[in-house]
Amino acid sequence: MLNEDTKTVAHDCGDCPIRHRAVCARCETDELERLEEIKYYRNFEAGQTIIWSGDRMDFVGSVVSGIATLTQTMEDGRTQMVGLLLPSDFVGRPGRDGSPYDVVATTDMVMCCFRKRPFEEMMVATPHIAHRLLEMTLDELDAAREWMLVLGRKTAREKIASLLSIIARRDATLNLQPAQNRLVFDLPLTREAMADYLGLTLETVSRQISALKRDGVIELEGKRHVTVPDFSRLLDEAGDDTDGGLLV
Amino acid sequence: MLNEDTKTVAHDCGDCPIRHRAVCARCETDELERLEEIKYYRNFEAGQTIIWSGDRMDFVGSVVSGIATLTQTMEDGRTQMVGLLLPSDFVGRPGRDGSPYDVVATTDMVMCCFRKRPFEEMMVATPHIAHRLLEMTLDELDAAREWMLVLGRKTAREKIASLLSIIARRDATLNLQPAQNRLVFDLPLTREAMADYLGLTLETVSRQISALKRDGVIELEGKRHVTVPDFSRLLDEAGDDTDGGLLV
DNA sequence: GGTCATCCTTGACCCAGATCAAGCGCGCGA
DNA sequence: TCGCGCGCTTGATCTGGGTCAAGGATGACC
């Protein structure tokens, strides 16, 4: 059962990803209630490691606010980010015990979690939850494969443009802007984290961002606040063949 | 209903992946019969494109024999392989209409297919099929993310060693060798296909294979037949921290 | 056996991005 | 207010792998 405190948070969370994105689109009332029973919220501070690679994971859940990263590290310290968790993204591997990745909060975060064992039991009893999870996993698989193209074949400049357009798109779908080509967002990652995502060094990231700024593809206010005056120009720089409709 | 011809093939296919790997581990007899009704076999020749990127896909299925690749191509022709389909691998995106990738047979192939619509209907009616598909999709996601580390952070030599060890491992699990460190297999890919998988050029692939041969990490007979005298040495070259137990 | 195409190897050279190094700017705690 | 640390930028130089180019091997087909 929920304590008063948790209820309050749940109520604040009007567009809680569990409602609109993860598992509940077709839930019946009693299923929703069962979900509520195994649901709880966790807060993390910027820089805090949520799960260490190899750790046992006793929950699944969604990002409510803030950003986390999924990274792999080799013994000699080379690291590669393999996923970026933005609000409404699902975290967890139903049916698996551990995480093969480090999960790290890069900003302050709130996560909406379910205890794993009861969640899995619900999954068995409620087939459409499994279907929804399959959907989401296929989405993640597509994203991972898209990123393989970025890592394997794109130039440094194209990589940066690809990352910026992904973040811009996600940001835009959250804070719906008037449907125009200009958009504004804050970079949620350090240069080093961007480098780890893109398979570059932080110096190259910095240089290419400066170059995009010099060429008018982006405008910078401080180090993190980005304005994209022409989004289709950015997509072009990313080498994307998509038409770039913002609202996917 | 099955015609006589198909039945024969089905019978030959004693370890048909649909039986032992994809969906049927817990199927009841009548479910198996329903699967049989929507099941058919397709043959492809080496070089044949199975699905074009963007095509409608009206089936799902498994590789029975032979090898296929999943590739993405940019407008300017740069291509990145995002998946390698070996025998027993599943192909298809239940719930999705099209494929975002080209699927190409690199050797002669046999696939065991199910018509997509009835398969999806069965999935709804038979929850453990959806669970099995979720399992498999999570496996693919892990593989894709593992490959992101290869593409983003490994050197050319490490990339080649990683690819060889993956193929060797898969080959070994199919044709179980005595549990020793020496193993033998045939490369199922051209140098160019390897390059597309690894984000390299075919010249670099060729040079690095020559180097591994010169250094005694592998032995070559012709261009495709590979002997690995010491598998743990190969894993070492790949920069893998896994212990390399062959039988995963 | 000869021709041709495909796949592969090897060499010479070049360049994008890594590496090494110096310094800037801003926020924070004393 | 100062100093200190962290995140970032920029410059100089180096190098792994790309590019361009020239053959070598193998096998299919005439």
Side-chain angles (χ1 to χ4, degrees):
Chain A
M1 291 294 130
L2 300 175
N3 59 31
E4 207 52 42
D5 183 49
T6 311
K7 246 179 194 155
T8 309
V9 182
H11 189 260
D12 284 343
C13 170
D15 62 348
C16 172
I18 296 307
R19 286 273 156 69
H20 76 262
R21 190 160 200 270
V23 294
C24 291
R26 286 173 298 169
C27 271
E28 305 297 328
T29 310
D30 58 334
E31 290 165 0
L32 275 178
E33 269 168 24
R34 265 190 294 160
L35 273 173
E36 287 295 328
E37 280 172 27
I38 60 171
K39 173 169 143 184
Y40 59 99
Y41 288 83
R42 289 182 69 186
N43 295 285
F44 300 94
E45 290 174 14
Q48 198 178 346
T49 296
I50 300 172
I51 307 151
W52 293 97
S53 158
D55 267 11
R56 206 177 170 71
M57 248 181 101
D58 55 357
F59 68 94
V60 301
S62 291
V63 178
V64 174
S65 66
I67 280 121
T69 61
L70 253 44
T71 58
Q72 274 184 309
T73 306
M74 297 170 65
E75 311 101 45
D76 62 8
R78 282 177 281 177
T79 79
Q80 176 65 50
M81 195 186 301
V82 298
L84 190 58
L85 298 170
L86 302 177
S88 91
D89 279 340
F90 185 79
V91 188
R93 304 154 53 79
R96 310 280 160 115
D97 272 341
S99 164
Y101 321 109
D102 294 326
V103 183
V104 181
T106 60
T107 66
D108 288 348
M109 282 188 73
V110 179
M111 287 196 53
C112 173
C113 303
F114 301 97
R115 287 185 293 122
K116 182 151 158 291
R117 194 47 47 100
F119 185 85
E120 284 169 0
E121 282 158 15
M122 258 203 81
M123 228 179 81
V124 172
T126 320
H128 69 256
I129 292 184
H131 288 150
R132 186 72 194 98
L133 285 171
L134 178 57
E135 284 284 302
M136 290 194 302
T137 308
L138 281 170
D139 282 344
E140 279 187 83
L141 184 57
D142 282 347
R145 285 174 165 165
E146 170 90 31
W147 209 248
M148 286 171 65
L149 177 64
V150 172
L151 289 172
R153 292 302 185 193
K154 291 195 177 179
T155 65
R157 173 183 264 242
E158 288 170 331
K159 286 178 174 181
I160 299 286
S162 298
L163 179 56
L164 292 179
S165 65
I166 281 178
I167 295 172
R169 208 190 312 252
R170 284 298 297 268
D171 205 87
T173 59
L174 292 176
N175 320 306
L176 281 173
Q177 306 253 337
Q180 52 194 12
N181 243 350
R182 179 185 199 82
L183 50 85
V184 177
F185 60 95
D186 282 303
L187 275 177
L189 300 174
T190 65
R191 302 292 187 260
E192 188 181 18
M194 295 172 70
D196 283 342
Y197 205 10
L198 296 167
L200 298 171
T201 59
L202 69 91
E203 292 95 330
T204 299
V205 170
S206 180
R207 274 187 255 271
Q208 294 299 333
I209 287 180
S210 299
L212 288 175
K213 181 174 147 194
R214 172 169 36 73
D215 299 345
V217 182
I218 59 173
E219 291 153 24
L220 268 185
E221 206 178 305
K223 293 152 194 306
R224 299 294 192 92
H225 192 73
V226 181
T227 302
V228 180
D230 179 356
F231 189 62
S232 57
R233 168 90 190 280
L234 182 64
L235 285 178
D236 210 53
E237 292 283 352
D240 273 353
D241 45 352
T242 57
D243 63 12
L246 266 185
L247 313 176
V248 181
Chain B
M1 291 294 131
L2 299 175
N3 59 32
E4 206 51 42
D5 183 48
T6 310
K7 246 180 195 155
T8 309
V9 182
H11 189 261
D12 284 342
C13 171
D15 61 348
C16 172
I18 295 306
R19 285 273 157 70
H20 76 263
R21 190 161 199 269
V23 294
C24 292
R26 285 174 299 170
C27 271
E28 305 298 328
T29 311
D30 59 333
E31 290 167 0
L32 274 177
E33 269 168 23
R34 266 190 292 159
L35 272 174
E36 286 296 327
E37 280 171 28
I38 61 171
K39 173 169 143 184
Y40 59 99
Y41 287 83
R42 288 182 69 186
N43 295 286
F44 299 94
E45 289 174 16
Q48 199 178 345
T49 296
I50 300 173
I51 307 152
W52 293 96
S53 158
D55 268 11
R56 205 175 170 71
M57 246 180 102
D58 55 357
F59 67 93
V60 300
S62 291
V63 178
V64 174
S65 66
I67 280 122
T69 61
L70 253 46
T71 59
Q72 275 183 308
T73 305
M74 297 172 66
E75 311 101 47
D76 61 8
R78 281 178 281 176
T79 79
Q80 176 65 50
M81 195 187 300
V82 297
L84 190 58
L85 298 170
L86 302 176
S88 92
D89 279 342
F90 185 78
V91 188
R93 305 154 54 79
R96 311 280 160 116
D97 272 341
S99 165
Y101 321 108
D102 294 326
V103 184
V104 181
T106 60
T107 66
D108 289 348
M109 282 187 73
V110 179
M111 287 197 53
C112 172
C113 303
F114 301 98
R115 288 185 292 121
K116 182 150 157 292
R117 194 48 46 99
F119 184 85
E120 283 168 0
E121 283 159 14
M122 259 205 80
M123 228 179 79
V124 172
T126 319
H128 68 255
I129 292 184
H131 287 150
R132 186 71 193 99
L133 286 171
L134 178 57
E135 283 284 301
M136 290 194 302
T137 308
L138 280 170
D139 282 343
E140 279 186 84
L141 184 56
D142 281 346
R145 285 174 165 166
E146 169 90 32
W147 210 249
M148 286 172 65
L149 177 64
V150 172
L151 290 172
R153 292 302 186 192
K154 291 195 178 180
T155 65
R157 172 184 265 243
E158 288 170 331
K159 285 179 174 181
I160 299 285
S162 298
L163 179 56
L164 292 179
S165 66
I166 280 178
I167 295 171
R169 208 189 312 252
R170 284 297 297 266
D171 206 87
T173 59
L174 292 176
N175 320 305
L176 280 174
Q177 307 253 337
Q180 53 194 13
N181 244 349
R182 179 184 198 82
L183 50 85
V184 178
F185 61 95
D186 283 302
L187 276 177
L189 301 174
T190 65
R191 302 292 188 262
E192 187 181 18
M194 295 171 71
D196 284 342
Y197 205 10
L198 297 167
L200 297 171
T201 60
L202 69 90
E203 293 95 329
T204 298
V205 170
S206 181
R207 272 188 256 270
Q208 294 299 334
I209 287 181
S210 298
L212 288 175
K213 182 174 146 193
R214 173 169 35 73
D215 300 345
V217 182
I218 58 173
E219 290 153 25
L220 267 184
E221 207 178 303
K223 292 154 196 304
R224 300 293 192 92
H225 192 72
V226 181
T227 302
V228 180
D230 179 356
F231 189 63
S232 57
R233 168 91 190 278
L234 182 63
L235 285 178
D236 210 53
E237 291 284 352
D240 273 353
D241 44 352
T242 55
D243 62 11
L246 267 184
L247 314 174
V248 182

